[in-house]
Amino acid sequence: MVLFRRLLGDVLRDRRMERGMTLREVSAGARVSLGYISEIERGQKEASSELLASLCSALDVPLSDVLREVSDAVAVEEAAVAATPISVTVRSRPGEVVASAA
């Protein structure tokens, strides 16, 4: 869940910055406190569907675009985790023969 919150915040921040908007401007447009939006962008707070819709409206970006971008970012993270080799070390006792995996 933390990964999703962080990625959602990253996408919202990127979209805000692409539009040259300040947190204060988004806060006024969405009618949400500046501090709360800041926490959402940092991945510290979850945004309800209503709040997310309000933020997207203030940013003039479709909610579906934001969710698609977050979904793509999650897929990249999943692929990176899946591609990370896992090293297994088996400790042997004296006289034992052990196969190793890498």
Side-chain angles (χ1 to χ4, degrees), residues 23 27 32-42 44-45:
L23 280 172
S27 172
V32 178
S33 79
L34 188 141
Y36 199 75
I37 294 173
S38 177
E39 289 179 328
I40 290 170
E41 283 191 0
R42 289 180 290 168
Q44 295 176 338
K45 295 282 184 185

Side-chain angles (χ1 to χ4, degrees), residues 1-9 40 43-46:
M1 191 53 144
V2 172
L3 172 66
F4 183 82
R5 279 197 323 245
R6 181 180 57 81
L7 294 174
L8 177 61
I40 290 170
Q44 295 176 338
K45 295 282 184 185
E46 290 185 37

Side-chain angles (χ1 to χ4, degrees), residues 40-72:
I40 290 170
E41 283 191 0
R42 289 180 290 168
Q44 295 176 338
K45 295 282 184 185
E46 290 185 37
S48 67
S49 57
E50 293 84 1
L51 176 57
L52 196 51
S54 181
L55 290 172
C56 288
S57 178
L59 291 168
D60 194 30
V61 61
L63 175 59
S64 59
D65 286 355
V66 169
L67 293 177
R68 188 176 303 109
E69 195 171 336
V70 172
S71 177
D72 291 346

